[in-house]
Amino acid sequence: AIIMAMRVMGWENETKNIKSMPSNVKKLNLAWDQAYYYIALAVQKGIVKPEELISFKPNDPAKRHEVAKYIVRAIDKEKEAERHMKEELPFKDAKSIPKDAVGYVYVMVKMGLMKGDDRGLFQPNKPITRAEMAVLIDRLDGSTHQDEKNELIGTISAIDEDELTITIRNSYGKKTYDVVKGVPVYYDNGYLDFEDLNVGDEVEL
């Protein structure tokens, strides 16, 4: 589960950069030698916290709430998870979700990466299957690629210097935004005035 989370983020090759193995990772009983490098990288990336290695059981099946934690940390949403640790989740078995995992589950559900079953259960302690992990990774992959299609990038179709508005057109359609007076316009490592922009210019807001 941890390795798949790192692979989808494109970090797998970074295991080659690990020159010395942390002592707390060396103590683990892992099934294959390369796994030590993955776990060391996972600690380095913050997917697994150093203090969690004390009770870490790398050869046990990964539980759903654990996977939620690994994925949220991998996609850098941990701060959002921490803000929602006391969230009331809409599952019949919400009380079975460990308190320190509530925020992570909240983020995963909000992003559509994990769901409950048809009985309204999340089953946080159920080991995740390979099929479920594959579906999760596919959703995550689609989610990260969607971010590349930024709706704030487009072609200026209208600009009003008096009303301080700018309208851009892109694959999402056409949308008008208010602009604050004196807004900085960056261009080629320098600055332009808002008045220097023209219809047809490509911009990122």
Side-chain angles (χ1 to χ4, degrees):
I2 291 171
I3 290 169
M4 288 178 77
M6 289 194 291
R7 279 178 179 162
V8 81
M9 298 306 293
W11 294 336
E12 186 173 14
N13 287 336
E14 293 186 37
T15 55
K16 298 172 184 175
N17 299 329
I18 296 172
K19 305 302 179 187
S20 61
M21 192 62 57
S23 58
N24 53 358
V25 176
K26 276 184 183 177
K27 293 176 182 176
L28 297 173
N29 180 23
L30 300 177
W32 51 296
D33 291 345
Q34 190 61 26
Y36 288 93
Y37 291 89
Y38 281 107
I39 300 301
L41 183 62
V43 173
Q44 195 177 97
K45 294 288 187 182
I47 295 175
V48 177
K49 304 293 182 183
E51 60 271 20
E52 292 173 347
L53 290 177
I54 298 170
S55 57
F56 188 60
K57 297 178 180 178
N59 301 308
D60 284 3
K63 296 175 182 176
R64 282 169 55 81
H65 75 84
E66 292 173 330
V67 171
K69 190 178 291 186
Y70 301 147
I71 297 293
V72 168
R73 287 172 177 172
I75 60 177
D76 200 24
K77 296 276 187 183
E78 186 168 27
K79 287 185 179 178
E80 183 179 352
E82 288 171 351
R83 290 196 297 269
H84 293 277
M85 284 299 179
K86 295 184 179 179
E87 200 76 31
E88 289 188 15
L89 298 172
F91 301 109
K92 292 178 182 177
D93 57 349
K95 290 183 179 178
S96 299
I97 300 172
K99 289 183 179 179
D100 63 351
V102 171
Y104 296 101
V105 172
Y106 169 86
V107 172
M108 293 291 281
V109 171
K110 178 187 170 187
M111 293 183 67
L113 298 175
M114 293 182 97
K115 300 175 181 178
D117 63 17
D118 54 7
R119 296 172 295 163
L121 302 173
F122 184 75
Q123 300 187 70
N125 295 304
K126 176 189 171 187
I128 197 163
T129 65
R130 289 174 183 268
E132 288 171 331
M133 193 71 190
V135 170
L136 193 162
I137 293 298
D138 185 58
R139 288 174 183 160
L140 176 61
D141 199 34
S143 168
T144 54
H145 279 87
Q146 273 185 341
D147 289 344
E148 295 170 8
K149 301 174 184 175
N150 193 335
E151 65 181 3
L152 298 179
I153 296 176
T155 303
I156 298 176
S157 62
I159 191 162
D160 191 320
E161 297 171 11
D162 297 320
E163 295 295 324
L164 287 175
T165 61
I166 186 171
T167 303
I168 66 168
R169 185 195 305 275
N170 53 28
S171 60
Y172 289 87
K174 191 165 70 171
K175 191 169 181 180
T176 300
Y177 297 87
D178 293 322
V179 179
V180 296
K181 189 175 181 179
V183 61
V185 180
Y186 304 98
Y187 177 75
D188 210 10
N189 296 323
Y191 293 88
L192 295 177
D193 292 327
F194 182 63
E195 292 77 15
D196 295 325
L197 294 173
N198 298 295
V199 171
D201 286 346
E202 292 284 335
V203 294
E204 178 177 4
L205 303 184

